[in-house]
């Protein structure tokens, strides 16, 4: 009886804390309140409350992702407050007024951040795991956080709801903070949202040196007399294009590209240029976007070709000037345009392959085929082997992200590659045309047909077309128009 009485007392105490927090939410955050009261209590096996040595609580989380069970604590098992003090000291910046924190957890770290806040500071707290937030409401009196005018809670299981509220906040001068255990606790069904949080966290750490290099490249490249890539837009309706990236699976089917020549435009990214040319496969176009000097290696020995190069306005200016063949510039901001229309703006998407995809869509192609777009480490390799001098084997895979492969297998990938996969999926979902992934390896890309390249050629590429001549004609017309102006 005594044990049962103790249990009842504990449940009553929890109920009192929960009701107190719920009433505060109802008053200050009715949307969060509505979402909480509609939920069932969290699974005690997935979210297990444990007492710490100092009488406080922590939460042990158990989640399954890609057939692997992860177990971890949201706060220290020994002293959550000491851990929270250290976290707040490391993450809070007194020289910034607006702070955005992902991860409510049980709120210990928020308590410590409050001690650093000045009267005009603002702290936005994001949380996507409603089960964790539910447990926090049960375990701790959080009314001082819920009612604090310097804090705004953005808490929802709906990832789009959080993203729409946060996008306008993440500008220059905002301190974006990640609570790592909370990031791990994002539910598996919201894996994309987890990526968004990580991606935002990485973007804030772009170095000033890189930003200056990009700015310098843009200033130099905009002084060139090269036409805008927009001159090609909507000129290839009814035609097919193969975008050739340099993923490891390119070794499997690169030879078939010879059969596709003059049946589809061969549109190469800079890193696949050399492997193609060494096999006597001449692309119709190639594109470079990297702002760093390394892109010089992509054209080394091929500087005097007649293959048109498309370069992003921020691409390394030394590579652009070194290439003597025909060129066109791609601009991604309105202020970079000269007299062209706004429809000439491209969306780079973060990689050379996503840039090529956006350009290909705007060029009007009805059939867009990807080759060598693994977006993951296929057989432990990161790039095509033939024609590449660098080490293509990836030695450290253990702590990387995971992604589902084309055959249902689990592959390792990076946060960057994952971002390109998500970008491609969202870019193509509203387009009324055929997208085929003929990579024959790597990550599954939602919204695309996955086929072998030889089957794509036999089923879809039946008509011949002189793409090189069409491109030359467009460039020549552009030059004449420029001279007349």
């Amino acid at each position: 009886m005594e044990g049962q009485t103790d249990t009842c007392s504990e449940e009553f105490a929890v109920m009192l804390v929960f009701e107190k927090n719920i009433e505060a939410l109802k008053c200050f955050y009715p949307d969060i309140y509505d979402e909480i009261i509609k939920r069932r209590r969290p699974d005690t096996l997935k979210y297990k409350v444990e007492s710490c040595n100092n009488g406080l609580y922590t939460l042990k989380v158990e989640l399954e992702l890609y057939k692997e069970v992860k177990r971890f604590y949201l706060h220290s098992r020994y002293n959550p407050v000491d851990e929270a003090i250290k976290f707040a000291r490391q993450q809070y910046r007194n020289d910034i007024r607006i702070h955005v924190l992902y991860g409510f957890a049980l709120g210990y770290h928020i308590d410590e951040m409050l001690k650093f806040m000045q009267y005009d500071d603002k702290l936005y707290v994001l949380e996507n795991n409603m089960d964790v937030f539910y447990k926090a409401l049960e375990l701790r009196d959080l009314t001082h956080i819920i009612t604090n005018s310097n804090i705004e809670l953005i808490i929802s299981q709906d990832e789009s709801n959080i993203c729409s509220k946060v996008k306008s906040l993440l500008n220059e001068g905002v301190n974006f903070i990640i609570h790592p255990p909370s990031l791990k606790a994002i539910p598996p069904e919201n894996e994309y949202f987890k990526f968004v949080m990580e991606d935002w966290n990485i973007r804030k750490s772009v170095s000033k040196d890189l930003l200056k290099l990009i700015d310098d490249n843009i200033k130099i490249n905009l002084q060139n007399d090269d036409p805008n890539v927009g001159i090609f837009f909507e000129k290839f309706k009814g035609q097919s294009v193969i975008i050739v990236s340099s993923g490891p699976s390119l070794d499997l089917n690169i030879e078939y590209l010879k059969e596709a020549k003059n049946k589809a435009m061969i549109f190469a990214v800079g890193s696949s240029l050399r492997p193609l040319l060494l096999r006597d496969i001449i692309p119709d176009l190639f594109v470079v976007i990297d702002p760093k000097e390394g892109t010089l290696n992509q054209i080394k020995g091929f500087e005097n070709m007649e293959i048109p190069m498309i370069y992003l306005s921020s691409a390394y200016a030394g590579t652009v000037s070194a290439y003597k063949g025909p060129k066109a510039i791609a601009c991604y901001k309105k202020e970079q345009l000269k007299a062209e229309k706004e429809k000439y703006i491209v969306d780079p998407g973060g990689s050379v392959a996503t840039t090529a995809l956006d350009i290909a869509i705007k060029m009007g192609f009805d059939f867009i085929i990807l080759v060598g777009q693994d977006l993951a480490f296929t057989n432990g390799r990161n790039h095509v082997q033939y024609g590449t001098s660098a080490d293509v084997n990836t030695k450290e895979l253990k702590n990387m992200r995971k992604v589902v492969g084309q055959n249902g297998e689990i592959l390792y990938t990076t946060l960057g590659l994952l971002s390109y996969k998500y970008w491609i999926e969202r870019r193509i979902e509203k387009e009324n045309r055929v997208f085929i992934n003929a990579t024959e390896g790597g990550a599954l890309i939602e919204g695309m047909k996955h086929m072998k390249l030889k089957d794509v050629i036999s089923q879809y590429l039946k008509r011949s077309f002189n793409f090189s001549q069409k491109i030359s004609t467009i460039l020549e017309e552009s030059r004449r128009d420029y001279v007349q102006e």
Side-chain angles (χ1 to χ4, degrees), residues 17 38 43 94 142 148 155 161 254 276 321 345 415 458:
V17 171
K38 291 175 184 176
D43 186 338
N94 289 317
L142 302 171
N148 192 305
I155 298 174
N161 182 20
I254 190 170
L276 289 172
S321 63
I345 295 174
L415 189 62
S458 64

Side-chain angles (χ1 to χ4, degrees), residues 302-317:
F302 305 118
E303 295 90 343
N304 297 308
M305 295 186 303
E306 287 301 312
I307 303 171
M309 178 177 80
I310 297 171
Y311 62 92
L312 198 63
S313 54
S314 56
Y316 182 60

Side-chain angles (χ1 to χ4, degrees), residues 394-430:
T394 302
K395 297 178 175 58
E396 189 57 51
L397 294 171
K398 185 177 178 182
N399 295 319
M400 288 187 177
R401 303 295 183 272
K402 292 180 180 179
V403 68
V404 176
Q406 292 187 33
N407 301 309
E409 73 277 31
I410 304 302
L411 301 174
Y412 288 99
T413 188
T414 64
L415 189 62
L417 291 174
L418 197 58
S419 73
Y420 309 146
K421 168 181 149 63
Y422 287 135
W423 185 94
I424 291 170
E425 291 172 345
R426 278 152 181 76
R427 179 67 182 87
I428 69 176
E429 63 185 0
K430 295 181 181 179

Side-chain angles (χ1 to χ4, degrees), residues 341-379:
K341 301 174 183 178
E342 282 188 45
K343 66 180 182 180
Y344 280 10
I345 295 174
V346 303
D347 182 356
S351 80
V352 65
T354 52
T355 302
L357 177 59
D358 186 70
I359 291 171
I361 290 172
K362 289 176 172 143
M363 289 170 79
F365 288 101
D366 286 348
F367 295 87
I368 298 178
I369 303 143
L370 304 187
V371 172
Q373 188 60 269
D374 289 69
L375 298 169
F377 299 106
T378 305
N379 297 321

Side-chain angles (χ1 to χ4, degrees), residues 85 197 324 333 461:
I85 291 171
M197 293 295 103
K324 304 308 178 185
K333 289 185 179 179
L461 308 183

Side-chain angles (χ1 to χ4, degrees), residues 123-295:
L123 174 62
Y124 295 87
V125 182
L126 322 178
E127 180 56 67
N128 180 239
N129 192 322
M130 298 302 290
D131 286 332
V132 167
F133 187 59
Y134 195 110
K135 297 302 293 184
L137 295 173
E138 285 187 329
L139 294 172
R140 300 189 64 222
D141 183 350
L142 302 171
T143 53
H144 62 292
I145 293 176
I146 297 170
T147 61
N148 192 305
S149 60
N150 293 86
I151 293 178
E152 183 170 333
L153 303 182
I154 304 176
I155 298 174
S156 176
Q157 194 75 26
D158 183 352
E159 57 188 53
S160 61
N161 182 20
I162 297 178
C163 289
S164 63
K165 291 180 179 179
V166 174
K167 278 182 180 178
S168 61
L169 298 176
L170 297 180
N171 299 314
E172 189 174 347
V174 172
N175 183 26
F176 184 61
I177 306 167
I178 289 282
H179 181 240
S182 294
L183 193 68
K184 290 170 65 176
I186 290 176
E189 61 269 22
N190 283 359
E191 182 69 8
Y192 174 70
F193 179 75
K194 180 179 179 180
F195 152 74
V196 171
M197 293 295 103
E198 291 176 308
D199 191 45
W200 277 341
N201 194 40
I202 287 176
R203 288 187 190 187
K204 74 174 184 178
S205 61
V206 176
S207 71
K208 291 182 179 179
D209 289 342
L210 180 57
L211 292 174
K212 184 180 185 304
L213 177 60
I214 290 171
D215 189 53
D216 289 344
N217 288 332
I218 291 172
K219 288 177 181 176
I220 296 170
N221 289 334
L222 290 181
Q223 294 176 18
N224 299 332
D225 290 330
D226 300 318
N228 191 288
V229 70
I231 63 174
F232 297 117
F233 290 178
E234 299 299 321
K235 299 290 177 64
F236 293 90
K237 292 182 178 180
Q239 301 295 336
S240 303
V241 62
I242 300 177
I243 298 173
V244 186
S245 298
S246 58
S249 292
L250 183 59
D251 283 320
L252 299 175
N253 56 17
I254 190 170
E255 290 292 343
Y256 286 106
L257 291 172
K258 292 177 180 178
E259 297 179 25
K261 183 66 178 176
N262 292 328
K263 294 179 181 178
M265 178 188 285
I266 308 297
F267 191 177
V269 307
S271 55
S272 68
L273 183 63
R274 187 174 301 275
L276 289 172
L277 293 174
L278 290 177
R279 285 183 171 89
D280 295 322
I281 301 168
I282 311 301
D284 299 294
L285 287 173
F286 73 100
V287 58
V288 296
I289 75 162
D290 199 307
K292 297 179 182 178
E293 188 177 356
T295 52

